[in-house]
Amino acid sequence: MITIYFFAGMKEAAGTPQMTWEIEETTVKNIREKVKETYPQLHQAEFAMTAVNEEFAGNDETVRTGDTVAFIPPVSGG
Amino acid sequence: MEQKRNYYITEKPLDPSPLIQQVIRPEAGAVNTFIGTVRELTEGKRTLSLTYEAYKSMAEKKLEQIGREIEAENKDSRVAIAHRIGKLDISDIAVVIAVSSPHRDASYKGSRYAIERIKEIVPIWKKEHWEDGSEWIGDQLEQTAYNEKGPEEGTS
């Protein structure tokens, strides 16, 4: 199982802070597709940055069961 | 204890003193402290309050990464950074950065680098609340796009 986190505007648009996907192995790119399929209103899933296990990761990154994937919309701390 | 850590996200009001204490040491001749506060007016629009949200575990790692980047650039610098989340009122402290170094120049540079870097790589988001609504703020650096690997490289 892979756990996927949403924050800020994406969390509000999804109506939930997280979702899970029962799959052994996939890629960040496929996770974007899965999220768009599950929450069609989450158009940010197309281009928001992603982090795998709390490190920024690109579309080709492999994601395995037990990993966490977070969508990171443009940050605005400080 | 939160106060003994150099990098943390907290829902409690921020006090700069413990962060300054974390970086003060005999080798230092300068401590530069940056305090970011909640501004009421932005381009004429009145903010009532802000809500900050963080991906806390990753945000703390990224604050630490920023500190290590500063210490790699100036090996005699020491860094402590804390960011508050939750609901903040006007003039509340949102972020505190303390950088110590043997001489003042490195402490100014380190402090400036830290706040700019926070706005690039630390997963914290700000929601502005106005009289007529609210909105999540993003892209404060007006970057049109990040490269595929994220904003890890290329800026300093």
Side-chain angles (χ1 to χ4, degrees):
Chain A
M1 187 182 80
I2 292 162
T3 305
I4 302 161
Y5 293 128
F6 307 122
F7 295 96
M10 288 186 73
K11 183 170 80 177
E12 287 181 2
T16 179
Q18 68 182 74
M19 63 175 275
T20 56
W21 189 11
E22 293 290 347
I23 189 171
E24 278 301 307
E25 187 176 312
T26 184
T27 62
V28 167
K29 189 171 190 301
N30 289 337
I31 285 172
R32 288 186 194 276
E33 296 304 317
K34 178 72 177 176
V35 168
K36 282 191 288 179
E37 187 186 303
T38 312
Y39 300 102
Q41 74 275 28
L42 269 191
H43 47 88
Q44 301 101 314
E46 178 87 35
F47 50 83
M49 285 195 300
T50 45
V52 176
N53 299 332
E54 303 175 357
E55 280 300 334
F56 289 108
N59 278 338
D60 297 335
E61 188 92 352
T62 302
V63 183
R64 295 182 179 82
T65 185
D67 287 347
T68 59
V69 177
F71 281 85
I72 314 280
V75 303
S76 48
Chain B
M1 284 287 287
E2 214 156 56
Q3 285 77 1
K4 293 291 179 191
R5 295 166 60 199
N6 279 47
Y7 306 97
Y8 61 87
I9 304 291
T10 181
E11 295 195 6
K12 296 178 191 142
L14 281 176
D15 175 6
S17 304
L19 291 145
I20 293 169
Q21 290 307 316
Q22 287 297 99
V23 300
I24 278 190
R25 65 216 159 93
E27 297 86 343
V31 178
N32 192 298
T33 309
F34 175 84
I35 298 174
T37 55
V38 177
R39 179 178 55 242
E40 183 171 29
L41 292 171
T42 298
E43 291 169 7
K45 192 159 192 179
R46 185 178 304 277
T47 297
L48 302 178
S49 67
L50 295 182
T51 306
Y52 282 99
E53 179 179 320
Y55 181 11
K56 190 175 175 185
S57 53
M58 180 174 171
E60 289 182 339
K61 278 188 187 175
K62 292 291 149 188
L63 292 178
E64 184 168 358
Q65 178 187 324
I66 292 169
R68 289 188 197 285
E69 287 172 0
I70 292 166
E71 291 167 5
E73 183 72 22
N74 284 288
K75 62 179 171 52
D76 296 321
S77 290
R78 291 295 176 272
V79 182
I81 309 171
H83 202 297
R84 189 174 167 194
I85 55 171
K87 181 179 177 290
L88 275 71
D89 295 319
I90 304 304
S91 296
D92 279 355
I93 298 174
V95 61
V96 176
I97 299 164
V99 181
S100 72
S101 56
H103 302 282
R104 65 185 180 280
D105 192 42
S107 71
Y108 276 108
K109 281 182 181 160
S111 179
R112 181 66 196 245
Y113 178 84
I115 187 65
E116 300 301 330
R117 203 79 171 113
I118 285 169
K119 292 171 185 292
E120 290 174 345
I121 67 162
V122 182
I124 299 173
W125 300 272
K126 172 171 75 176
K127 190 174 196 179
E128 296 242 15
H129 302 280
W130 306 290
E131 283 168 351
D132 60 350
S134 61
E135 193 177 317
W136 286 102
I137 308 298
D139 212 11
Q140 293 189 118
L141 295 180
E142 295 179 346
Q143 293 173 333
T144 50
Y146 293 107
N147 65 39
E148 187 168 296
K149 289 280 183 193
E152 294 290 270
E153 303 159 62
T155 47
S156 66

